[in-house]
Amino acid sequence: NNAVNDLANQATSYQDAINQLQAQISTIQGVIASNEAKQADLQGQINANQIELEKQSKVLGENIKMTYVDGQPSTIEMLASSKNLSDFVDKEEYRTAVQNKIQATLKKIAELQNTLNAQKQEVETLLVSQKSQQAELDSARAKQASMLAYNQAQQDSYNQKTKENASKIADLRRQQVIENARLTNGNGS
């Protein structure tokens, strides 16, 4: 009976360990799911930024084409070719606006490229983290399966021992009844 009680306590402690491993597995699975969602979100942002980058590159190309079509006349050439002072000012403002737009577009492209690089790096970091967590999850599952198998083997062994002990007890009781009957018959004669 003491051995059976010890085994029951040991089985309970194994079950507690198994339950803790299951909680750990659930937590890791939650982190992995969160990382996958974050990775999908980042991939969406990367795709949107890639489209915006292509759009800005196209705008830049158009602006540069306009600048070269108009040529790069000097201020004196622009003044000489203008009909009046207002026409000169308009041409100069247009040229300045195009140059400013080119600068703004270049800056936006650089920012988008930096953002894309940072997002791609974050996705790579998430993937490495996810692989590590998946390995940890696999390890925890293997340990849990091992503990369950060990626990089942122990239970089977103890159940077998309990049956053997019950059989021995039954044999001893039978022998005791026979011996008691023999002693009673021997004293009664």
Side-chain angles (χ1 to χ4, degrees):
N1 284 338
N2 288 338
V4 169
N5 287 337
D6 288 344
L7 294 175
N9 290 336
Q10 191 176 19
T12 300
S13 72
Y14 278 127
Q15 188 60 47
D16 289 344
I18 290 167
N19 291 342
Q20 288 176 353
L21 281 171
Q22 186 58 47
Q24 182 182 4
I25 288 169
S26 297
T27 300
I28 292 171
Q29 285 175 326
V31 170
I32 287 172
S34 172
N35 281 349
E36 287 173 345
K38 189 173 183 180
Q39 181 182 347
D41 181 50
L42 280 172
Q43 192 60 50
Q45 290 177 18
I46 286 171
N47 293 342
N49 284 337
Q50 192 69 40
I51 290 168
E52 181 64 21
L53 182 62
E54 290 168 7
K55 177 183 164 189
Q56 291 300 321
S57 294
K58 187 181 278 187
V59 168
L60 177 64
E62 290 171 7
N63 288 337
I64 289 174
K65 188 162 74 170
M66 280 195 287
T67 301
Y68 283 110
V69 166
D70 289 343
Q72 293 291 337
S74 68
T75 306
I76 295 175
E77 290 173 331
M78 283 178 50
L79 186 56
S81 67
S82 299
K83 297 174 190 165
N84 56 33
L85 188 56
S86 177
D87 188 33
F88 168 73
V89 170
D90 288 344
K91 285 181 182 179
E92 185 62 33
E93 284 178 1
Y94 174 75
R95 190 171 112 186
T96 303
V98 169
Q99 287 176 345
N100 288 342
K101 186 158 179 132
I102 288 172
Q103 291 299 319
T105 304
L106 284 171
K107 183 177 178 185
K108 188 165 188 172
I109 287 173
E111 289 172 356
L112 282 170
Q113 286 176 330
N114 288 339
T115 301
L116 279 172
N117 289 338
Q119 288 172 334
K120 286 178 181 178
Q121 182 62 39
E122 190 172 350
V123 167
E124 288 174 15
T125 302
L126 281 173
L127 287 173
V128 168
S129 172
Q130 189 169 340
K131 285 180 184 176
S132 169
Q133 290 165 346
Q134 189 64 46
E136 188 177 333
L137 178 64
D138 292 343
S139 171
R141 283 184 175 155
K143 187 174 181 181
Q144 182 186 34
S146 171
M147 290 182 83
L148 284 170
Y150 178 76
N151 191 19
Q152 187 61 45
Q154 290 295 314
Q155 283 180 349
D156 292 346
S157 171
Y158 294 126
N159 287 340
Q160 182 62 34
K161 287 180 183 177
T162 301
K163 284 181 185 177
E164 289 172 6
N165 286 340
S167 176
K168 287 179 184 177
I169 290 171
D171 284 345
L172 288 173
R173 284 188 178 154
R174 200 173 345 108
Q175 288 176 4
Q176 185 178 13
V177 167
I178 292 171
E179 190 62 32
N180 284 341
R182 191 180 61 81
L183 288 176
T184 304
N185 287 337
N187 288 341
S189 305

